[in-house]
Amino acid sequence: MIQNPPFLSGKDLILVISPSGVVNEGLVRKGAFILEEAGYKVDFAPNVFNAHFKFGAKHQERLSDLQYALDHKEAKAIYCARGGFGITHIIDSLDWTQFKKYPKWIIGFSDITALLHATFQNGYCALHTSVLQGLPKLSINYQSQVIHALSGKFENLKSKSSFNKDGSAYGQLIGGNLSLLVHQIGTKTELDYTGKILFIEEVAEPLYHIDRMMLQLKRAGKLRELAGLVVGQFTNLSEDKSIYGQSVEEIILGHCQDYDFPIGFNFLFGHGVDNVPIIHGAETSLKVEKGFSTLEYKNLPQQKPS
């Protein structure tokens, strides 16, 4: 059974770590200030700003910080400073024993997708939303949604698209960055997609990469038993339909045409200024009808009305 860690309340401690790419210290501190303004205490792991080439710190330093955060007895959340690349260098060396005694929300997306999946494997939901250095870049509305999410207040997700495939589904919500989903096939953090509602997003990829990654999911049997598919934002793509002959939506629909699950497009999560918080691992229902999609959380306390 997948559980929610305790939601946060005033003055709870949030630990900041850099488990992946090198960070922008100014933006990370601005993100921390937003959390502090909301009433939370923020502390930085020892190696957050120890940049090592493309990485937030050396592999052992990042592993040490993440293990420290997982083991912490008082912190209520672990906020990842940035995605980029690097989490999969250290993820297989983690010990989750103390985390299960002192569960806490793990927060981030993009490269952090792998860490959200490992959290799921260890029995807990996590929060898929902007990394800390991205928090100041979000619109004020979505900054507020992140703050609300920390205390357990969530909105149902709604979207509109002419590409939608109608239907209804119920299942656990898993997913994240498309590159990371493909990157984890055949590894310890590969998830079972059977009966799940999968959500995907991507940034800065050419369309042929999107095609190749969707094809990999299909060939690996990951799409066959899905309950539903939720598609977020695919931003800053390096080629368009005039070059490749298909749009993102057409590529996805083509690879899913043999299956009867519903598909909702154009949800506002991903690498843009609008990035709605999502509970990775939550029980949800998906309804797609006449161009409109609704993703609704089930059995969630303190839910904020949509």
Side-chain angles (χ1 to χ4, degrees):
M1 179 179 178
I2 306 299
Q3 306 176 63
N4 286 328
F7 288 109
L8 281 67
S9 56
K11 298 185 179 179
D12 276 343
L13 174 62
I14 300 174
L15 292 178
V16 179
I17 61 171
S18 297
S20 294
V22 62
V23 304
N24 179 314
E25 182 173 350
L27 286 174
V28 171
R29 293 194 181 278
K30 285 181 180 179
F33 180 75
I34 292 171
L35 299 177
E36 291 170 338
E37 285 288 288
Y40 298 112
K41 180 181 177 182
V42 178
D43 197 7
F44 296 92
N47 299 296
V48 170
F49 302 117
N50 283 3
H52 181 68
F53 299 101
K54 293 282 288 186
F55 299 104
K58 294 179 180 179
H59 294 337
Q60 187 57 45
E61 291 174 331
R62 289 182 288 111
L63 174 60
S64 176
D65 280 3
L66 179 47
Q67 191 64 63
Y68 162 78
L70 291 175
D71 294 348
H72 204 284
K73 296 181 180 181
E74 297 178 6
K76 300 300 181 183
I78 301 170
Y79 211 135
C80 298
R82 191 195 164 200
F85 172 63
I87 187 65
T88 47
H89 273 286
I90 63 176
I91 199 164
D92 292 338
S93 299
L94 295 172
D95 182 345
W96 291 83
T97 304
Q98 291 298 108
F99 173 85
K100 293 175 183 178
K101 295 179 181 178
Y102 308 102
K104 48 194 74 73
W105 285 96
I106 294 178
I107 307 167
F109 84 129
S110 195
D111 194 52
I112 308 304
T113 293
L115 185 57
L116 305 187
H117 287 194
T119 308
F120 180 86
Q121 290 175 323
N122 282 279
Y124 284 91
C125 293
L127 190 59
H128 180 281
T129 194
S130 174
V131 291
L132 191 57
Q133 80 169 32
L135 188 58
K137 299 179 182 179
L138 294 183
S139 63
I140 296 300
N141 175 47
Y142 284 87
Q143 288 182 15
S144 297
Q145 288 196 37
V146 173
I147 298 302
H148 288 149
L150 294 175
S151 61
K153 302 179 181 70
F154 290 84
E155 298 182 8
N156 295 328
L157 280 67
K158 297 184 178 182
S159 72
K160 181 180 179 181
S161 173
S162 61
F163 289 97
N164 284 350
K165 182 179 177 181
D166 289 0
S168 298
Y170 180 90
Q172 287 177 313
L173 184 65
I174 65 166
N177 180 261
L178 181 57
S179 293
L180 268 292
L181 300 183
V182 171
H183 184 42
Q184 290 177 96
I185 293 174
T187 72
K188 293 179 180 179
T189 49
E190 178 182 7
L191 297 186
D192 181 2
Y193 290 19
T194 303
K196 306 296 196 299
I197 296 175
L198 180 68
F199 69 94
I200 58 175
E201 62 83 26
E202 191 52 271
V203 62
E205 295 284 356
L207 287 169
Y208 83 89
H209 280 193
I210 306 301
D211 192 2
R212 182 164 60 189
M213 289 188 287
M214 289 301 301
L215 180 59
Q216 178 68 11
L217 291 181
K218 182 178 182 180
R219 294 181 67 213
K222 293 301 191 180
L223 303 179
R224 186 185 306 117
E225 302 298 334
L226 283 181
L229 180 60
V230 175
V231 182
Q233 299 300 299
F234 282 58
T235 54
N236 299 329
L237 300 182
S238 58
E239 61 185 17
D240 58 26
K241 183 176 178 177
S242 67
I243 296 174
Y244 195 64
Q246 288 182 297
S247 66
V248 167
E249 295 87 352
E250 289 167 340
I251 290 169
I252 292 172
L253 287 172
H255 289 300
C256 297
Q257 65 183 349
D258 295 333
Y259 314 120
D260 60 3
F261 54 76
I263 305 175
F265 289 92
N266 201 34
F267 282 86
L268 291 178
F269 61 85
H271 285 74
V273 295
D274 300 334
N275 188 7
V276 64
I278 295 173
I279 302 179
H280 184 275
E283 295 288 341
T284 56
S285 65
L286 173 65
K287 184 176 182 180
V288 184
E289 186 177 26
K290 297 180 179 178
F292 294 91
S293 303
T294 302
L295 184 69
E296 181 177 348
Y297 292 107
K298 299 297 182 182
N299 305 317
L300 183 66
Q302 297 181 276
Q303 187 168 337
K304 183 178 179 181
S306 59

